Amino acid sequence: EKGTYPHYMLKEIDEQPAVMRKIIQAYQGADEKLTIQPEIIEALNDADRIHIIAAGTSYHAGLIGKEYLEKMAQIPVEVHVASEFGYNMPLLSQKPLFIFISQSGETADSRQVLVKIKELGHPSLTITNVAGSTLSREADYTLLLYAGPEIAVASTKAYTAQIAVLSILAAVTAQSKGIDIGFDLVQELGIVANGIQAQVDMKEEMEQIARDFLSTTRNCFFIGRVMDYFVGLEGALKLKEISYIQAEGFAGGELKHGTIALIEEGTPVIALATQEAVNLSIRGNVKEVAARGAHPCIISMEGLQEEGDSLVLPKVHELLSPLVSVIPMQLISYYAALHRDCDVDKPRNLAKSVTVE
Ligand code: F6R
C-alpha cells in the first residue's frame, strides 16, 4: 500500500535507504562478513568471461555491475541488451557465465536468451527481486534483491538494489581470489545508505531543480563520464518515461560529435560530476554546451564541487557513487512529471513487466 504517499514511485524512492540496509543484512554471514553461496562464487571463478543480459533500467544497472566485476573481481564482462543478444549472439569464449538482471524475473527478451544459452550448456545466474519468478526458476542460481514489491512502472529501488547486490557479488568474488579491493564494502554501503537518505530528504530542492530546468523544455540532455555516464543514461530513461520530455544520456566527450547541434538557447543539460579523474573534462564539456546557450545543471560530489553547482552530493566511494547520484535523477524526473500532469505511476504505453518479445 502506498499509505500517505501520493504515488508509489515516491514511496519507492524513499524506501531506498532501508533497502540498502536490508541488502547488507541479507548478505552478511554470522561473522558480519559479506557472503554468497559458494556454488555461485565458484561459477564466477570458473568463468573466463561474464555476459550480463538485461533490458531497460536493469541494463543500466548491468553497465555498473560490469565495472564492479572487472575492477574488483578482475573478470572480463560484456553487457548486452537482451533483445539484441537473442538475434545477434557474440562470439562466445570457452567458459562463459551468464548473469540475468531483472526486477520482475519475467522479461521475455531476457528469458529468450536464457533458453538459448541453456541449450548451449552454459551456466546462469539470475539477479531478481521476485523469488520464484521465471528467470529465477530457470537459471542455475539466483541472488535476490530484497527491495520489496516495486509497483510504480518506473523502476527506482530495484535499480539501486541491483547495483548494491552486484557490488557484493564482485567483492565476495574478489575476496575468494585473494584480491584486496582496498575498502570495506559493508562500511561504504552504510555511508551510501546515509547519503541516499540525505538526498530523499531534499525534496524541495529537487522540486526546485525540476521547476528551474524542466517545466517547459521539449528536450533535455544528461552528460557524465565513467560511472556518471551510466547514471546519465538511467536519468534520461527515468525522465522520458514518466514526463515524456525527450531526454538522452551521453558520454561527456561524445556530445560534440554531433548532438551538440541540438543545443539551443535554454536547452537543459544535466551534468554529473562525481568522478575525480574526469572532473576537469566533464566541466570542460559543460563549458562547451554553455557556450552554445545550454542551461547547465551540475550535480557534483563533496570534494569536487565548484561555485554554481546546482546540487552537491555527500561524499561516497567513487565506485558506489551511482547509488547516490541516481537519487536526484529519480526525484527530478518525478517532479518534472508532476508539473506536467503526467500519470507518474502508470506512464502511457508502458507495462510493469514486459512478457512479450
Ligand atoms: C524503466 C523500467 C524498464 C525495466 C525493463 C526491465 O523504469 O522499469 O526499463 O527496467 O523493462 O524489466 P525487468 O527488470 O523486470 O526485467
Side-chain angles (χ1 to χ4, degrees):
E1 251 315 298
K2 63 180 188 241
T4 55
Y5 281 95
H7 298 100
Y8 281 107
M9 184 181 178
L10 194 61
K11 171 173 178 272
E12 290 163 5
I13 289 172
D14 271 10
E15 284 169 351
Q16 291 174 105
V19 172
M20 285 300 112
R21 295 193 184 98
K22 180 97 191 280
I23 289 170
I24 300 170
Q25 229 180 15
Y27 284 97
Q28 264 176 334
D31 57 358
E32 305 216 329
K33 280 221 178 88
L34 291 171
T35 110
I36 281 180
Q37 296 95 290
E39 313 86 81
I40 296 180
I41 301 304
E42 262 166 53
L44 264 81
N45 282 328
D46 265 359
D48 61 4
R49 185 168 290 260
I50 292 173
H51 295 274
I52 293 178
I53 310 287
T57 289
S58 297
Y59 171 76
H60 294 154
L63 295 172
I64 291 166
K66 168 187 161 86
E67 300 302 315
Y68 295 163
L69 290 163
E70 292 197 337
K71 296 202 161 72
M72 296 190 212
Q74 296 178 12
I75 307 172
V77 180
E78 291 177 20
V79 194
H80 303 274
V81 167
S83 58
E84 280 296 301
F85 190 97
Y87 294 102
N88 188 14
M89 211 184 284
L91 189 59
L92 295 180
S93 54
Q94 290 295 310
K95 300 189 79 182
L97 167 76
F98 286 80
I99 300 182
F100 294 84
I101 306 178
S102 175
Q103 189 285 129
S104 64
E106 301 297 340
T107 298
D109 289 325
S110 296
R111 176 161 189 256
Q112 190 203 30
V113 178
L114 177 54
V115 169
K116 243 181 212 162
I117 63 103
K118 277 177 73 168
E119 277 167 17
L120 295 172
H122 298 310
S124 50
L125 161 66
T126 290
I127 300 180
T128 182
N129 203 23
V130 184
S133 57
T134 306
L135 288 170
S136 167
R137 280 186 279 111
E138 295 182 355
D140 297 321
Y141 313 105
T142 295
L143 290 174
L144 291 176
L145 297 176
Y146 301 103
E150 192 181 64
I151 311 288
V153 164
S155 183
T156 53
K157 62 178 178 171
Y159 171 83
T160 43
Q162 286 162 345
I163 291 172
V165 169
L166 284 159
S167 74
I168 293 171
L169 177 63
V172 174
T173 306
Q175 205 196 2
S176 77
K177 296 169 98 172
I179 300 170
D180 178 7
I181 62 167
F183 62 98
D184 178 345
L185 184 59
V186 171
Q187 192 185 328
E188 295 299 330
L189 284 174
I191 296 172
V192 160
N194 295 337
I196 296 177
Q197 188 64 55
Q199 293 306 293
V200 300
D201 288 342
M202 286 174 58
K203 297 201 175 61
E204 274 168 35
E205 287 86 341
M206 304 294 178
E207 187 170 7
Q208 190 60 47
I209 291 176
R211 202 176 298 130
D212 289 350
F213 290 88
L214 302 171
S215 52
T216 58
T217 191
R218 275 192 315 124
N219 55 10
C220 176
F221 297 102
F222 291 76
I223 59 171
R225 286 171 178 254
V226 198
M227 303 307 260
D228 292 337
Y229 166 38
F230 307 133
V231 178
L233 296 176
E234 173 59 10
L237 178 58
K238 280 296 81 87
L239 185 63
K240 64 187 136 187
E241 69 183 327
I242 60 170
S243 76
Y244 315 142
I245 296 170
Q246 181 167 13
E248 300 301 334
F250 284 94
E254 191 62 12
L255 207 58
K256 65 175 171 294
H257 295 288
T259 311
I260 202 164
L262 292 175
I263 301 286
E264 294 171 3
E265 199 56 43
T267 304
V269 174
I270 299 180
L272 285 163
T274 75
Q275 306 286 303
E276 192 174 0
V278 292
N279 192 40
L280 285 181
S281 20
I282 191 67
R283 289 187 183 270
N285 298 137
V286 171
K287 291 198 183 92
E288 287 160 11
V289 292
R292 274 104 185 152
H295 187 198
C297 169
I298 302 179
I299 299 178
S300 61
M301 186 164 278
E302 263 169 35
L304 300 175
Q305 77 266 36
E306 286 181 18
E307 207 173 305
D309 291 356
S310 297
L311 193 68
V312 181
L313 303 169
K315 177 99 191 99
V316 298
H317 192 284
E318 271 201 341
L319 278 179
L320 302 177
S321 67
L323 293 166
V324 175
S325 61
V326 77
I327 308 299
M329 309 287 105
Q330 298 170 346
L331 281 167
I332 292 168
S333 302
Y334 173 79
Y335 287 112
L338 279 194
H339 290 159
R340 291 170 175 246
D341 276 331
C342 298
D343 187 346
V344 170
D345 280 341
K346 284 198 168 46
R348 68 186 179 206
N349 309 341
L350 290 172
K352 182 65 187 161
S353 91
V354 186
T355 53
V356 291
E357 207 199 298

